[in-house]
Amino acid sequence: MCLAVSVTNAQSLLLRPKKKTGSAQALSLIPHPTTTRIKDLRVLKFSNETEKQEFVQSINSADYEWEEKVPFSASDTSLPPTQQDFTEDPLIGNQWSILPSAPQSNAGYYSDIDVFRAWSVATGSAKVVIYVMDSGVDTRDPDMEGRVTASFNAFNPNAAAIDDNGHGTHVASIIAARGNNKYGIRGVVPGDIQIVAGKFLNAQNQGDSETALRVINWMKQDMQARRAQDPDVKFIGSNSWGGEQYSRFLEEAMQELTQFGYLPITSAGNHGGNNDAQEYYPCNFALAANVCVAASDRYDRKTNFSGYGVNSVHVMAPGDDIYAIVPGTQNGSNYVSKYQKKKGTSQAVPHVAGVAALIWAANPQLSPSQVRDLLIESSDYIPGAENYVLSGGRINAYRAVLMATGQDGAQADRGLYSQAGSSSKGGCSLMARSDRPLSGAYSMIMLLALTLTSIFMIRLPKRRL
């Protein structure tokens, strides 16, 4: 996930009638031959800036509204790979974000999302569909076989959503790499799940509001068809992309998806700034049940690159040194898998999307807003994180599914901070969540007091969270 490029396509416009009634006729009357359609929008291409400005001056602003295409992009940083063998999923030892036994710090901290224990409650559901809007997904890898049930390519609707960058495959495999198949890695959702690939980013991981709108318009049709076949199907969006320029057309289009119960998971961005002060989209879109995600590292710290905001960013999730699948190579009839470690809020988003899927698998009766609230309330409290995200911590999959099924979230407490007392809503913290935020100094005093107590009076577990 990275900042969007700073320039728009100055020779393109997105235009639509202000009145929905008769919009098709209104669009047909526009005196401009080189146009295409996206639902009730018209995409206008101009040969130069002068031609564009002359057109804008010629139309009636009382009848039409328009905006320039807004650029979006996504990227991450690749890191050197390592390997460690396990029986069921041989490379799972590289996945510190899901594996509690992986080394996480000299102090032995727990900073994974506690998903191993969550799988004792739910491993997935075929009634949950996750739309991965990205650069496409490579479906040839054995761990992704059968996981992608539909796709759409905004650049060429007649072509498959082939991943020519690697970003989309990495994201999708964090969510859905098949588990217990004696191959590769394991996703947050190792059991049943449906991934839908919407390609709107090109080989350079760049797209814009036009390509995004094309995917979203297709998604709406796909949701309508799926909902007609099964009224109980659930929809989640994994959106590991963004930019600093606002698009009302895009916000409204994404808001339309929420009428189908769509739960958007969005990225806080890799700009390292405060999204409350400098808005970042779609994180800052006013979408129903939107969950915006910051990136944490293996020491449970917000990464330096991650965006944050106690009002606009909701949870932290692992987004540093994340090992997952990228497109491999075909060697004759054999497919050779390839893996990379990457860092970015792009990697944090699919962790949250996966946990949301497990919540719905555990309790399909929940509404999107209830799933969103559970993601926030079930987070592990991390001292200092209340200065960065609304939840004050990092997601905990096990506590989330426990709370989703009406069980006591305190069962998920582990380590030092848990001993200090669980939150009133089931999470582990240094105080009830209604009392947040704690000052950094007071948090340190409490932490020091607990540490001294553990040394002189009782023997506490070696690990926290």
Side-chain angles (χ1 to χ4, degrees):
M1 190 58 253
C2 75
L3 291 175
V5 292
S6 60
V7 295
T8 61
N9 185 340
Q11 296 170 10
S12 296
L13 282 179
L14 300 177
L15 180 144
R16 71 181 178 191
K18 287 188 175 180
K19 294 180 180 180
K20 297 290 184 182
T21 305
S23 61
Q25 180 181 4
L27 288 173
S28 67
L29 295 176
I30 296 174
H32 197 280
T34 56
T35 61
T36 57
R37 295 278 296 274
I38 308 175
K39 197 182 173 186
D40 61 346
L41 285 171
R42 182 63 64 89
V43 183
L44 287 77
K45 311 285 186 180
F46 300 90
S47 59
N48 54 61
E49 180 66 17
T50 300
E51 181 183 352
K52 185 185 74 174
Q53 292 301 327
E54 289 177 349
F55 173 82
V56 169
Q57 294 172 13
S58 71
I59 60 176
N60 189 344
S61 61
D63 296 328
Y64 298 96
E65 56 185 342
W66 59 87
E67 65 180 32
E68 292 188 357
K69 289 198 297 184
V70 173
F72 294 102
S73 63
S75 71
D76 37 39
T77 303
S78 298
L79 303 167
T82 59
Q83 294 188 355
Q84 184 174 348
D85 288 339
F86 286 75
T87 302
E88 294 301 324
D89 299 287
L91 300 179
I92 199 172
N94 298 303
Q95 297 179 269
W96 70 265
S97 62
I98 69 171
L99 189 66
S101 60
Q104 287 150 39
S105 81
N106 293 332
Y109 292 166
Y110 280 104
S111 52
D112 63 281
I113 65 171
D114 204 3
V115 73
F116 261 71
R117 293 195 293 174
W119 292 330
S120 67
V121 179
T123 60
S125 169
K127 289 181 176 289
V128 178
V129 180
I130 300 182
Y131 291 85
V132 179
M133 277 188 68
D134 216 288
S135 61
V137 178
D138 187 348
T139 59
R140 299 172 297 170
D141 190 283
D143 265 341
M144 296 303 293
E145 183 179 359
R147 309 302 261 173
V148 177
T149 60
S151 66
F152 178 77
N153 187 335
F155 300 99
N156 184 354
N158 297 318
I162 295 174
D163 187 3
D164 48 7
N165 177 275
H167 188 270
T169 301
H170 202 265
V171 166
S173 65
I174 292 170
I175 300 171
R178 191 180 297 277
N180 300 311
N181 61 346
K182 300 186 183 301
Y183 190 91
I185 63 171
R186 188 182 304 180
V188 176
V189 187
D192 291 337
I193 193 69
Q194 294 191 62
I195 298 295
V196 175
K199 179 179 176 62
F200 88 107
L201 300 175
N202 59 21
Q204 290 73 45
N205 257 4
Q206 295 181 350
D208 54 38
S209 50
E210 178 189 343
T211 53
L213 283 164
R214 292 189 184 282
V215 170
I216 291 171
N217 188 48
W218 176 87
M219 286 169 55
K220 182 178 179 180
Q221 299 173 41
D222 188 68
M223 289 180 187
Q224 287 176 321
R226 291 175 185 270
R227 182 57 53 79
Q229 293 181 349
D230 184 355
D232 297 323
V233 67
K234 309 297 181 184
F235 301 126
I236 298 169
S238 182
N239 301 288
S240 293
W241 50 274
E244 294 181 339
Q245 297 185 46
Y246 174 72
S247 168
R248 180 173 53 170
F249 294 169
L250 185 59
E251 181 179 34
E252 291 176 358
M254 293 186 74
Q255 183 65 43
E256 286 182 9
L257 297 179
T258 63
Q259 67 181 295
F260 300 101
Y262 173 75
L263 176 64
I265 314 295
T266 58
S267 162
N270 287 359
H271 51 82
N274 187 343
N275 290 14
D276 294 345
Q278 177 61 53
E279 294 190 341
Y280 189 83
Y281 308 104
C283 171
N284 287 78
F285 280 163
L287 304 176
N290 187 13
V291 183
C292 186
V293 186
S296 61
D297 64 16
R298 66 173 67 225
Y299 304 106
D300 263 344
R301 303 169 302 198
K302 183 192 78 68
T303 62
N304 291 334
F305 58 77
S306 178
Y308 63 94
V310 294
N311 296 311
S312 57
V313 183
H314 304 98
V315 296
M316 294 197 308
D320 188 45
D321 202 27
I322 304 301
Y323 188 88
I325 301 168
V326 293
T329 57
Q330 199 71 41
N331 185 9
S333 60
N334 297 321
Y335 177 78
V336 181
S337 296
K338 185 177 179 181
Y339 307 86
Q340 285 184 2
K341 287 184 177 181
K342 294 178 179 288
K343 62 180 180 179
T345 49
S346 285
Q347 282 62 48
V349 166
H351 282 90
V352 179
V355 173
L358 294 178
I359 291 173
W360 254 329
N363 186 351
Q365 304 305 314
L366 296 173
S367 69
S369 294
Q370 288 173 320
V371 174
R372 174 187 182 272
D373 291 345
L374 276 175
L375 288 166
I376 295 170
E377 293 298 326
S378 63
S379 292
D380 278 335
Y381 171 60
I382 309 298
E386 70 274 10
N387 298 317
Y388 299 115
V389 294
L390 178 65
S391 69
R394 183 240 323 118
I395 58 169
N396 184 301
Y398 185 42
R399 186 178 296 107
V401 295
L402 287 174
M403 294 171 65
T405 52
Q407 300 181 64
D408 184 4
Q411 296 179 64
D413 292 353
R414 48 181 181 167
L416 178 60
Y417 300 135
S418 304
Q419 301 296 323
S422 297
S423 92
S424 59
K425 298 183 180 179
C428 59
S429 67
L430 291 172
M431 72 272 169
R433 294 180 186 272
S434 59
D435 294 333
R436 291 179 183 170
L438 265 178
S439 70
Y442 187 67
S443 298
M444 291 301 296
I445 292 171
M446 287 292 293
L447 180 59
L448 178 60
L450 288 167
T451 304
L452 292 174
T453 300
S454 68
I455 294 174
F456 295 108
M457 297 181 63
I458 60 175
R459 183 178 181 182
L460 292 175
K462 294 182 179 179
R463 290 181 170 182
R464 66 150 171 92
L465 291 180

